[in-house]
């Protein structure tokens, strides 16, 4: 009888471990799909439309999400500012929006040659719900809203000219400290979309 109980308990433990593994892989798969969805929006846009919004009153939370790159009053500030691998350098400064390597709505053509000045008029209407938002919720294939952090910075090439780097980081909606997916892509201003 004892052997039978041990065998049944081992079988139950195996099923529980399998269910946990499936749940974890599903979350990772959904996070990757969300990262791909966001990155494809940027890949479909002209280079001048690839930037983060930085309104003069930006960074504070509005309906749970910051209305620009998070400032110290945003609940997303620690998570966004703390991911230094995503932006390599100094954090964005609203007092001096054209300093640093951030590509924002304040970026002018002279900042990072040959990167053109940002232009909101060339953002496709189909992209306005995702493009330019530093932090937002994006609906995944499972219907959940996944927190997505997007970083857009200038990166110097070996020849001294600049390209834009977009980094998309998707967090678990049940535990926002857990990263599910990270995707990065370079956008050359001299290439056509």
């Amino acid at each position: 009888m004892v052997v039978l109980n041990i065998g049944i308990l081992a079988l139950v433990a195996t099923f529980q471990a399998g269910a946990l593994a499936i749940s974890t892989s599903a979350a990772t798969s959904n996070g990757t799909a969300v990262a791909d969805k966001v990155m494809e929006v940027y890949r479909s846009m002209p280079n001048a439309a690839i930037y983060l919004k930085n309104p003069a009153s930006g960074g504070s939370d509005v309906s749970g999400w910051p209305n620009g790159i998070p400032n110290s009053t945003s609940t997303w500030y620690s998570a966004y500012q703390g991911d230094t691998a995503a932006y390599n350098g100094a954090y964005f400064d609203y007092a001096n929006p054209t300093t640093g390597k951030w590509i924002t709505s304040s970026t002018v053509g002279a900042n990072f040659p040959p990167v053109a000045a940002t232009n909101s008029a060339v953002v496709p209407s189909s992209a306005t719900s995702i493009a330019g938002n530093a932090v937002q919720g994006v609906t995944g294939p499972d219907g959940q809203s996944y927190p997505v952090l997007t970083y857009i910075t200038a990166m110097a090439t070996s020849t001294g000219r600049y390209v834009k780097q977009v980094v998309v980081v998707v967090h678990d909606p049940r535990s926002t400290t857990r990263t599910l997916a990270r995707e990065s892509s370079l956008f050359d201003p001299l290439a056509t979309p």
Side-chain angles (χ1 to χ4, degrees), residues 12-142:
V12 168
T14 302
F15 285 135
Q16 286 179 336
L20 179 62
I22 289 171
S23 173
T24 302
S25 69
T28 302
S29 176
N30 289 331
T32 302
V34 169
D36 287 342
K37 177 181 181 178
V38 172
M39 194 61 80
E40 285 305 316
V41 167
Y42 286 105
R43 288 186 181 125
S44 71
M45 297 181 356
N47 199 277
I50 300 172
Y51 63 87
L52 293 174
K53 298 171 190 165
N54 68 319
S57 61
S60 299
D61 290 351
V62 176
S63 301
W65 305 108
N67 67 338
I69 298 170
N71 65 23
S72 61
T73 65
S74 171
T75 57
W76 290 98
Y77 176 76
S78 293
Y80 194 87
Q81 187 264 347
D83 193 353
T84 56
Y87 60 88
N88 293 321
Y91 190 68
F92 182 74
D93 182 5
Y94 273 98
N96 298 301
T98 58
T99 61
K101 297 204 176 203
W102 292 82
I103 303 292
T104 67
S105 46
S106 300
T107 302
V108 296
N111 292 48
F112 311 107
V115 173
T118 56
N119 184 351
S120 62
V122 296
V123 177
S125 60
S126 61
T128 56
S129 65
I130 290 181
N133 297 314
V135 181
Q136 63 188 315
V138 176
T139 304
D142 59 353

